[in-house]
Amino acid sequence: MTDTVITQHLKAQAVDRPPKKKESPISLAITPWLNSLPSTLLDLLKQNTGASTLEEVQQNLVGSAPKRWVVYEPMVLLPSGSFTSEPWPSLLTSLSTSQTEDLWTSILDQLSPPKAPLTHLAINEGIPLLQSDQQEENILRSPTGLHPLHGSFGSPTSPSFPSSLWVSTKQNSLTQTWAPLHTMFSRGNIKEKARLLSFHSTIPLGSPPLHPHRYLPPATLNNSYAIDLYAGIGYFVFSYARLGLKVLCWELNPWSVEGLRRGALANKFTVRVITTPEDLGRPTKELIAGAEEQIIVFQEDNRHAARRIAELGEEEKPKVRHVNCGFLPTSEPVWKDSFDILVQGFAAPSSSSKQEGGWLHLHENVGVKDIETRKAQIQGLFDGWCSESQDATFKANVEHVEMVKTYAPDVWHVVFDVYVSSSITN
């Protein structure tokens, strides 16, 4: 065989050979840890699981270990169900505390970037809609199923802000901060956050825009407000603030409020939290008139929001451009209040024209086949509310339906954008 033929033959072999599969970092952490365990422990596991060899035991352990994870510095979050497939439960119950800790620290060391060591490890679980002890609605959306594996997350019985673990991540260049033992975080909202950030972008060149009334100059936005009735840790609050809007927020969960406050400061937004019974009992005018903070948070039920806006005088009434209703499976209980909040600001002194408009963002889980039907139902609701006005002509239009993410098979988390406009008649 000539050199040329040999070379071509070797090249053909190289092309035909499948690429070597990259080993998961978690597998790379587990393999040497398994080799460090006493052989008697693995022998016992071999007998209990029916494996034919110790190598088969190790292959089963590595093969059933989690392959995915999410980093929220300084925590690694593993997916639900991690380490629950045999032979992991049998092995973990046989380990000493130090052996278990060695496993978790090995995983953290393998996943840690060079300059930012990861120190906490947990397994994620779904957010229950009901409180397991009382079977009442989990209104605060507390992550009661989170399973910490390594590191101190804070006391579950006597928690405090200073002693609890706080983690963070960046989405769309905005920092979000929360305490994972007490507050949920939804990665899937990133698309909706980005959409809000571009909501009032410059009119594109070329064909006419679909919704030309959306394109507002910065000066208009800087003189306007957004209202978030389910503020959480600031999921959408920070998008509105980045646009230059002032934001009034309502949130019940004190842990979410603290996460919002920390996140606002991390993003260099000014923020004030109104939380004590004494302050919440004061007239709203005293609380927000002349406020310099860009974000004001009311730690109270959002049922007070419409009343607070209504009790403001004409000089203090905010010009509202957005009302966000981000609650699942439906935010319908606050839709009428959100409509009232929006239209109250149409006659605000800051208005430069009698022709006014703003948007309601209504979050809901809807079957994919039912979206158009639901859109028509929502249009009917708002048409009815518009017709009840005596001093202005209001018009509502469900101008867009945004499909954010799948919630269950054939069920989507959607946002109905309702544009409400008016012509003041008095």
Side-chain angles (χ1 to χ4, degrees):
M1 188 178 290
T2 65
D3 289 344
T4 302
V5 173
I6 292 173
T7 301
Q8 291 175 343
H9 177 68
L10 292 174
K11 285 182 178 179
Q13 284 185 323
V15 170
D16 293 339
R17 187 181 300 120
K20 188 175 180 180
K21 191 175 181 180
K22 189 176 181 181
E23 194 170 0
S24 161
I26 293 180
S27 298
L28 290 173
I30 290 173
T31 300
W33 172 80
L34 286 172
N35 292 332
S36 72
L37 295 178
S39 58
T40 52
L41 195 154
L42 294 178
D43 279 329
L44 182 61
L45 194 63
K46 170 175 164 287
Q47 296 172 19
N48 292 339
T49 60
S52 55
T53 63
L54 290 181
E55 183 180 359
E56 183 181 345
V57 172
Q58 291 207 15
Q59 288 175 348
N60 290 339
L61 287 164
V62 173
S64 60
K67 304 295 188 295
R68 297 178 291 108
W69 66 93
V70 182
V71 173
Y72 299 127
E73 295 180 353
M75 177 185 70
V76 173
L77 192 61
L78 301 174
S80 177
S82 294
F83 298 108
T84 58
S85 300
E86 287 291 355
W88 277 108
S90 298
L91 176 59
L92 291 173
T93 55
S94 305
L95 298 175
S96 67
T97 301
S98 62
Q99 288 168 336
T100 305
E101 286 298 302
D102 286 345
L103 170 60
W104 306 143
T105 55
S106 296
I107 292 173
L108 288 170
D109 290 344
Q110 187 65 234
L111 296 176
S112 291
K115 295 184 179 180
L118 301 169
T119 56
H120 292 67
L121 184 66
I123 296 175
N124 193 21
E125 297 295 346
I127 306 296
L129 296 181
L130 298 176
Q131 298 177 10
S132 58
D133 53 345
Q134 301 173 345
Q135 289 301 301
E136 295 178 355
E137 185 180 4
N138 182 12
I139 296 175
L140 302 186
R141 294 298 190 259
S142 300
T144 55
L146 186 78
H147 183 195
L149 298 176
H150 181 79
S152 174
F153 285 68
S155 170
T157 55
S158 55
S160 66
F161 293 158
S163 64
S164 294
L165 172 70
W166 293 86
V167 302
S168 64
T169 192
K170 272 197 173 185
Q171 291 186 327
N172 305 308
S173 300
L174 290 167
T175 298
Q176 305 259 211
T177 302
W178 70 101
L181 200 61
H182 304 282
T183 313
M184 65 171 286
F185 177 74
S186 175
R187 286 192 302 155
N189 289 330
I190 185 172
K191 176 185 173 187
E192 179 64 8
K193 296 173 190 175
R195 189 176 77 96
L196 292 177
L197 285 169
S198 63
F199 201 86
H200 299 294
S201 297
T202 306
I203 298 177
L205 299 175
S207 58
L210 183 61
H211 305 297
H213 52 279
R214 289 191 176 188
Y215 302 102
L216 300 177
T220 299
L221 296 176
N222 292 343
N223 199 33
S224 302
Y225 279 78
I227 308 291
D228 196 327
L229 296 178
Y230 299 97
I233 62 172
Y235 289 115
F236 307 113
V237 173
F238 300 153
S239 293
Y240 293 122
R242 179 58 55 86
L243 290 174
L245 293 149
K246 298 180 178 67
V247 193
L248 300 180
C249 312
W250 273 262
E251 176 55 48
L252 270 174
N253 187 339
W255 291 90
S256 295
V257 171
E258 176 64 8
L260 195 163
R261 187 191 70 82
R262 293 180 182 223
L265 296 178
N267 291 305
K268 302 189 184 310
F269 300 132
T270 53
V271 59
R272 176 157 56 101
V273 175
I274 302 171
T275 182
T276 66
E278 292 77 15
D279 284 341
L280 291 170
R282 293 166 56 194
T284 307
K285 179 178 179 179
E286 294 182 12
L287 296 173
I288 69 172
E292 297 181 356
E293 296 86 358
Q294 187 175 4
I295 299 171
I296 296 179
V297 188
F298 292 91
Q299 189 179 311
E300 64 179 1
D301 196 300
N302 57 24
R303 287 178 292 185
H304 297 287
R307 183 263 303 170
R308 285 198 179 278
I309 301 300
E311 70 184 24
L312 294 173
E314 290 301 316
E315 293 299 319
E316 301 87 24
K317 197 156 297 211
K319 177 68 193 74
V320 178
R321 293 287 179 182
H322 294 269
V323 183
N324 209 81
C325 306
F327 190 78
L328 299 177
T330 180
S331 58
E332 186 171 2
V334 300
W335 291 355
K336 179 59 167 66
D337 283 354
S338 69
F339 174 81
D340 292 340
I341 289 170
L342 184 65
V343 300
Q344 284 179 58
F346 283 170
S350 60
S351 302
S352 58
S353 169
K354 290 184 178 180
Q355 196 70 34
E356 294 297 338
W359 293 264
L360 309 175
H361 306 285
L362 315 179
H363 293 238
E364 192 166 55
N365 288 339
V366 185
V368 67
K369 295 180 180 179
D370 302 322
I371 291 176
E372 287 303 314
T373 300
R374 187 57 173 152
K375 177 182 176 182
Q377 291 172 344
I378 293 171
Q379 184 66 59
L381 277 176
F382 282 86
D383 285 344
W385 294 332
C386 288
S387 67
E388 296 171 0
S389 172
Q390 301 298 318
D391 56 1
T393 300
F394 295 124
K395 181 179 179 181
N397 177 35
V398 185
E399 66 177 24
H400 177 72
V401 180
E402 182 70 19
M403 298 176 70
V404 179
K405 61 182 183 291
T406 55
Y407 187 83
D410 296 323
V411 177
W412 278 79
H413 169 187
V414 301
V415 179
F416 297 95
D417 287 343
V418 182
Y419 180 67
V420 181
S421 58
S422 77
S423 295
I424 307 299
T425 57
N426 61 348

